[in-house]
Amino acid sequence: MDADKLIDSIKFLLKSVRQLSDRFVEATEGNKRTFERVFGDVGDLAERIEKLEVELQNLRDQELIAADGNRRAPELPVRADQQDLLIPALNLPFDALLDVYRNTPALLQPFARACSVSGRTLSGSIPEVELEVFAQGTTWIIETQDGDWVLLPRPGMLQRQTQVESLGRFFELEVESPLPAELELLRLGMATVVEHGRRWYLKEKGAIGVHSDPLQRGLEQRIRLLEQKLSG
């Protein structure tokens, strides 16, 4: 009799375990489906946010483009993931970018945002040298293929001392000619993002020369470099 009760107890326990197991499997499957729905919703939201960020960036950049009547379509390679941006990243290495600037700077305009020193820096409220988008700024900032931000002086003649002083915040200056004069980019400046497409901190100063005939100076430098390579 005791053996029969023991067997019945074991059967009852086994049945209870099977029921608990079935409920656990059902709960696990339900949780899995719930998590899958949540992950799907999160993915959809992330995609929508990304699209909204692109639209917001384009809306901001549209103001710069509207202020610049000479904006042209990009003729240089664009970073593939930024095809939909009005001002995309430039898919060129630093040396090629510098060469384009020295020869045909207008080709870089579709990738450039004009900027100037921010009011927060001018007021002394922050210790960093901060740049912010400004349609009449004397400096261009361009995002490159690796996500770096480079600084270049806006091409053209320097007419006023205030222009030189403004550039002096972001570039080491080699002034060899009185104003008005043209400028020559010697070394790219570097910046880090504070707010994408809007504000940056100066990371490393570039270098520019102010000359009466930068084309002639650039030609002389290239001849010297070629002579050095040939003699080496």
Side-chain angles (χ1 to χ4, degrees):
M1 190 66 178
D2 292 338
D4 293 338
K5 290 182 178 180
L6 179 59
I7 291 173
D8 290 340
S9 298
I10 292 174
K11 288 180 178 179
F12 177 78
L13 289 173
L14 290 174
K15 182 179 179 181
S16 298
V17 169
R18 283 196 300 269
Q19 289 175 343
L20 287 173
S21 177
D22 292 342
R23 291 175 183 173
F24 177 77
V25 170
E26 291 176 0
T28 300
E29 290 295 328
N31 289 336
K32 182 180 178 181
R33 288 191 294 270
T34 300
F35 283 129
E36 287 175 349
R37 286 196 297 270
V38 171
F39 288 145
D41 292 342
V42 170
D44 291 341
L45 287 173
E47 185 176 347
R48 291 172 63 185
I49 290 172
E50 184 177 351
K51 290 181 179 179
L52 287 173
E53 287 177 343
V54 170
E55 292 176 2
L56 178 60
Q57 185 63 62
N58 281 339
L59 182 63
R60 289 171 168 174
D61 288 337
Q62 187 64 54
E63 299 176 7
L64 282 178
I65 293 173
D68 186 351
N70 297 319
R71 182 70 64 161
R72 55 200 289 176
E75 298 177 42
L76 297 173
V78 174
R79 204 172 79 183
D81 63 340
Q82 296 203 353
Q83 296 280 358
D84 296 332
L85 291 180
L86 291 178
I87 303 180
L90 176 62
N91 190 17
L92 281 181
F94 290 161
D95 55 347
L97 190 160
L98 188 58
D99 192 51
V100 170
Y101 179 87
R102 288 171 173 170
N103 290 281
T104 317
L107 292 177
L108 296 175
Q109 189 179 32
F111 305 91
R113 294 175 174 88
C115 58
S116 185
V117 65
S118 75
R120 298 199 303 169
T121 293
L122 291 174
S123 67
S125 62
I126 59 172
E128 296 85 0
V129 177
E130 184 182 58
L131 302 91
E132 63 182 358
V133 168
F134 179 57
Q136 285 73 47
T138 58
T139 303
W140 276 355
I141 188 163
I142 295 176
E143 184 180 8
T144 67
Q145 57 185 354
D146 297 322
D148 295 311
W149 292 86
V150 298
L151 301 176
L152 312 92
R154 197 167 189 163
M157 292 286 292
L158 294 177
Q159 303 285 352
R160 301 179 302 278
Q161 184 61 30
T162 54
Q163 291 176 294
V164 177
E165 293 171 356
S166 177
L167 288 172
R169 290 182 177 271
F170 313 126
F171 300 92
E172 302 291 345
L173 301 177
E174 296 182 11
V175 181
E176 298 182 0
S177 177
L179 300 181
E182 294 190 25
L183 54 84
E184 176 191 11
L185 180 59
L186 305 175
R187 186 178 69 250
L188 297 169
M190 303 294 295
T192 56
V193 175
V194 176
E195 180 185 355
H196 188 278
R198 305 301 295 171
R199 293 187 295 128
W200 304 262
Y201 285 156
L202 179 66
K203 179 180 179 182
E204 180 182 338
K205 276 192 171 186
I208 58 177
V210 180
H211 314 293
S212 58
D213 191 355
L215 294 178
Q216 178 65 29
R217 178 182 172 87
L219 179 60
E220 292 173 353
Q221 287 181 335
R222 293 182 185 183
I223 291 175
R224 284 198 298 271
L225 288 174
L226 180 59
E227 289 175 344
Q228 291 174 2
K229 289 181 180 179
L230 292 175
S231 61

